[in-house]
Each structure stands twice: as structure tokens, then as C-alpha cells.
Amino acid sequence: MSSPIIAVRDVVRSYGRGANRFDALKGVSLEILEGESVAIIGKSGSGKSTLMHLLALMDEPTSGEIDLGGTDTRTLGGRRLNRTRNKTFGFVFQQFFLTPNISVLENVILPLKIAGVPSRERKRLGMAALKQLELDDKAKNKAVNLSGGQKQRTVIARALVNDPRIIFADEPTGNLDTATGAVVEDILFGLNREHGITLIVVTHDEDLAARCDRRIHIRDGHIVEDERTEVAA
Ligand code: ADP
Ligand code: MG
């Protein structure tokens, strides 16, 4: 573990205006170190997704600053922002569904298509990611025909295909049974440990949170606790 990959300073995110204004984040500061696994936890409506969207550069703070790898992200306009996001991040989000009627491989290589990677290279990288998730035999299947666990593994393969430095996951085990959820969890922590990918995960799952190096508790738009797992001597 080393320098901060993400630094957040005094971030406020307000929705609405005037009398309808609501501050979903009320001044949040934190640093995330390269290679860490971090759980963001808190009640529904506390601001977890808002924070995750800001960290993932899918949304901008109303005020405050977010640095990524030492760069003030306010200086990244349109195309550079998209390129940075596409190159640096992998997403395991429930709202980023698979496209049901195209193949598993087509779903996985979508980020590479967006990045303009040539077709043969896309296929090679896509198959490598599927192999890592033990899904290479399903490459030609339509996504719609997969089980829940296979779908989530496909989403992880898609998150991996760009060789990201950070994986963002929003309730990655939320829709899975316990056994399948445990498999998905093991895969995410394996990527974190073996490939040094920083893992940032929003979860209600206490076991998943407990496995992370660190738990950031959010309440009413504030960080109320930032707790690290004690490393055994
Ligand atoms: P969590 O992910 O912890 O459940 P969110 O970050 O989604 O919480 O939401 C935090 C608060 O901000 C909630 O009160 C929610 O209603 C509000 N909120 C979220 N998105 C919007 C929006 N687009 N417009 C207005 N209010 C929003
Ligand atoms: Mg949420």
C-alpha cells in the first residue's frame, strides 16, 4: 500500500435548488490508498451511492475537490474525463446491466469498443477476462441465458477487461444467494490481493464489509467513522 490514488477534500453534493435544496453529502474528506479494499456502509439514503458516483467521476461535487492519482479532476474536461474513467475504472453496478440478447463475449468487450481497441485485440482480451472468471465456455451464449452468479461474473469480467486500477462495486452480492455471493466476493478480493486493484464497494453485507481493509460509515451525508481492520502482528 502506498500513496493515495483518490483524495477527496471538503466535498458537498447538493440536489435541487432553493427551498428544495438537499445536501446529500455535507462536507466529506477522505483518502483512498492504492491497493486498499474499502467498504462504504450506512443506512439507505445516507449518501453512499452519491459518494460512489463522485469517486467514480460519474458526477461532480457541488463544491470541494477530488484528485485522482494526484490530478485535480476538475481539470479533466469531456473527452479526457471519459478516457480516464474508461481506462482507470471497472464497474460492478446493478444499474449497468448486461445487454440480454447479445453474447457474453460481446457484453464483456463493450468497454474496449468504446475505447477504440481493434476487433481482434478486443476478442483476445475479452476471452482472457472470461477465462479468468471461468466463463470462457459461455462466451457465445446470450447473456439472458446465464444464471444470476454467471451474470455477475460476466459483469466482473467486463469490469476487468480494461485492466483497471480501481473497481467500484455497488452491492455486488445484493441479488445473489449466499453461496454465489461468496464466490463473487472471493473473486473481487482475489483481484484486490493478487493484482493490487483498489476495491471500493458499497454494501449492506456485513461479512463483505468485514473482509475489507477499511470501512467508511456514512450517516446523513457525513463520514461518522473510518475504521481499519487490525493487521495481526
Ligand atoms: P444511499 O446510496 O446511501 O441509499 P443516495 O446517495 O442514493 O443514498 O442518496 C442520498 C440522499 O440524496 C437521499 O436522501 C436521496 O433521496 C437523495 N438523492 C439522491 N439522488 C438524488 C437526486 N438525483 N435528486 C434529489 N435527491 C437525491
Ligand atoms: Mg445507494
mmCIF file of all heavy atoms in Angstrom, residues 71 75-85:
data_model
loop_
_atom_site.group_PDB
_atom_site.id
_atom_site.type_symbol
_atom_site.label_atom_id
_atom_site.label_comp_id
_atom_site.label_asym_id
_atom_site.label_seq_id
_atom_site.Cartn_x
_atom_site.Cartn_y
_atom_site.Cartn_z
ATOM 1 N N THR A 71 -4.086 14.167 -9.798
ATOM 2 C CA THR A 71 -4.641 15.168 -10.727
ATOM 3 C C THR A 71 -5.982 15.673 -10.205
ATOM 4 O O THR A 71 -6.859 14.875 -9.853
ATOM 5 C CB THR A 71 -4.876 14.541 -12.123
ATOM 6 O OG1 THR A 71 -3.629 14.041 -12.605
ATOM 7 C CG2 THR A 71 -5.439 15.557 -13.109
ATOM 8 N N THR A 75 -9.908 19.549 -13.631
ATOM 9 C CA THR A 75 -9.177 19.970 -14.826
ATOM 10 C C THR A 75 -9.396 19.003 -16.001
ATOM 11 O O THR A 75 -8.942 19.264 -17.104
ATOM 12 C CB THR A 75 -7.654 20.050 -14.547
ATOM 13 O OG1 THR A 75 -7.161 18.727 -14.277
ATOM 14 C CG2 THR A 75 -7.358 20.958 -13.363
ATOM 15 N N LEU A 76 -10.086 17.874 -15.743
ATOM 16 C CA LEU A 76 -10.323 16.900 -16.808
ATOM 17 C C LEU A 76 -11.650 17.213 -17.495
ATOM 18 O O LEU A 76 -12.699 16.946 -16.955
ATOM 19 C CB LEU A 76 -10.398 15.476 -16.241
ATOM 20 C CG LEU A 76 -9.197 14.926 -15.482
ATOM 21 C CD1 LEU A 76 -9.552 13.573 -14.875
ATOM 22 C CD2 LEU A 76 -7.990 14.795 -16.390
ATOM 23 N N GLY A 77 -11.580 17.749 -18.698
ATOM 24 C CA GLY A 77 -12.827 18.035 -19.415
ATOM 25 C C GLY A 77 -13.280 16.824 -20.197
ATOM 26 O O GLY A 77 -12.520 15.875 -20.342
ATOM 27 N N GLY A 78 -14.504 16.874 -20.690
ATOM 28 C CA GLY A 78 -15.186 15.871 -21.521
ATOM 29 C C GLY A 78 -14.401 14.643 -21.936
ATOM 30 O O GLY A 78 -14.471 13.614 -21.258
ATOM 31 N N ARG A 79 -13.653 14.739 -23.037
ATOM 32 C CA ARG A 79 -13.024 13.543 -23.592
ATOM 33 C C ARG A 79 -11.972 12.951 -22.681
ATOM 34 O O ARG A 79 -11.865 11.731 -22.544
ATOM 35 C CB ARG A 79 -12.376 13.874 -24.945
ATOM 36 C CG ARG A 79 -13.385 13.871 -26.073
ATOM 37 C CD ARG A 79 -12.696 14.065 -27.406
ATOM 38 N NE ARG A 79 -11.716 13.008 -27.658
ATOM 39 C CZ ARG A 79 -11.110 12.868 -28.829
ATOM 40 N NH1 ARG A 79 -11.346 13.695 -29.815
ATOM 41 N NH2 ARG A 79 -10.243 11.889 -28.999
ATOM 42 N N ARG A 80 -11.180 13.821 -22.049
ATOM 43 C CA ARG A 80 -10.132 13.323 -21.150
ATOM 44 C C ARG A 80 -10.746 12.629 -19.943
ATOM 45 O O ARG A 80 -10.237 11.628 -19.461
ATOM 46 C CB ARG A 80 -9.231 14.471 -20.692
ATOM 47 C CG ARG A 80 -7.869 14.452 -21.369
ATOM 48 C CD ARG A 80 -6.963 15.503 -20.770
ATOM 49 N NE ARG A 80 -6.198 15.025 -19.632
ATOM 50 C CZ ARG A 80 -5.647 15.843 -18.732
ATOM 51 N NH1 ARG A 80 -5.827 17.153 -18.828
ATOM 52 N NH2 ARG A 80 -4.942 15.357 -17.751
ATOM 53 N N LEU A 81 -11.856 13.180 -19.486
ATOM 54 C CA LEU A 81 -12.564 12.586 -18.355
ATOM 55 C C LEU A 81 -13.068 11.187 -18.730
ATOM 56 O O LEU A 81 -12.870 10.226 -17.995
ATOM 57 C CB LEU A 81 -13.727 13.487 -17.945
ATOM 58 C CG LEU A 81 -14.550 13.017 -16.754
ATOM 59 C CD1 LEU A 81 -13.724 13.081 -15.479
ATOM 60 C CD2 LEU A 81 -15.800 13.875 -16.614
ATOM 61 N N ASN A 82 -13.691 11.096 -19.904
ATOM 62 C CA ASN A 82 -14.204 9.800 -20.356
ATOM 63 C C ASN A 82 -13.085 8.785 -20.521
ATOM 64 O O ASN A 82 -13.223 7.627 -20.148
ATOM 65 C CB ASN A 82 -14.933 9.951 -21.694
ATOM 66 C CG ASN A 82 -16.315 10.523 -21.490
ATOM 67 O OD1 ASN A 82 -16.912 10.344 -20.430
ATOM 68 N ND2 ASN A 82 -16.822 11.217 -22.487
ATOM 69 N N ARG A 83 -11.974 9.256 -21.095
ATOM 70 C CA ARG A 83 -10.862 8.338 -21.321
ATOM 71 C C ARG A 83 -10.283 7.860 -19.994
ATOM 72 O O ARG A 83 -10.004 6.679 -19.819
ATOM 73 C CB ARG A 83 -9.786 9.021 -22.176
ATOM 74 C CG ARG A 83 -9.004 8.003 -22.970
ATOM 75 C CD ARG A 83 -7.927 8.587 -23.875
ATOM 76 N NE ARG A 83 -8.199 9.922 -24.371
ATOM 77 C CZ ARG A 83 -7.359 10.946 -24.235
ATOM 78 N NH1 ARG A 83 -6.212 10.798 -23.590
ATOM 79 N NH2 ARG A 83 -7.656 12.124 -24.746
ATOM 80 N N THR A 84 -10.122 8.791 -19.064
ATOM 81 C CA THR A 84 -9.584 8.453 -17.742
ATOM 82 C C THR A 84 -10.479 7.431 -17.048
ATOM 83 O O THR A 84 -10.005 6.424 -16.519
ATOM 84 C CB THR A 84 -9.484 9.719 -16.866
ATOM 85 O OG1 THR A 84 -8.628 10.645 -17.534
ATOM 86 C CG2 THR A 84 -8.931 9.411 -15.494
ATOM 87 N N ARG A 85 -11.787 7.688 -17.094
ATOM 88 C CA ARG A 85 -12.741 6.796 -16.436
ATOM 89 C C ARG A 85 -12.689 5.406 -17.069
ATOM 90 O O ARG A 85 -12.640 4.394 -16.398
ATOM 91 C CB ARG A 85 -14.136 7.389 -16.578
ATOM 92 C CG ARG A 85 -15.122 6.857 -15.592
ATOM 93 C CD ARG A 85 -16.384 7.683 -15.593
ATOM 94 N NE ARG A 85 -16.667 8.232 -16.895
ATOM 95 C CZ ARG A 85 -17.256 9.401 -17.101
ATOM 96 N NH1 ARG A 85 -17.646 10.125 -16.112
ATOM 97 N NH2 ARG A 85 -17.474 9.815 -18.320
#
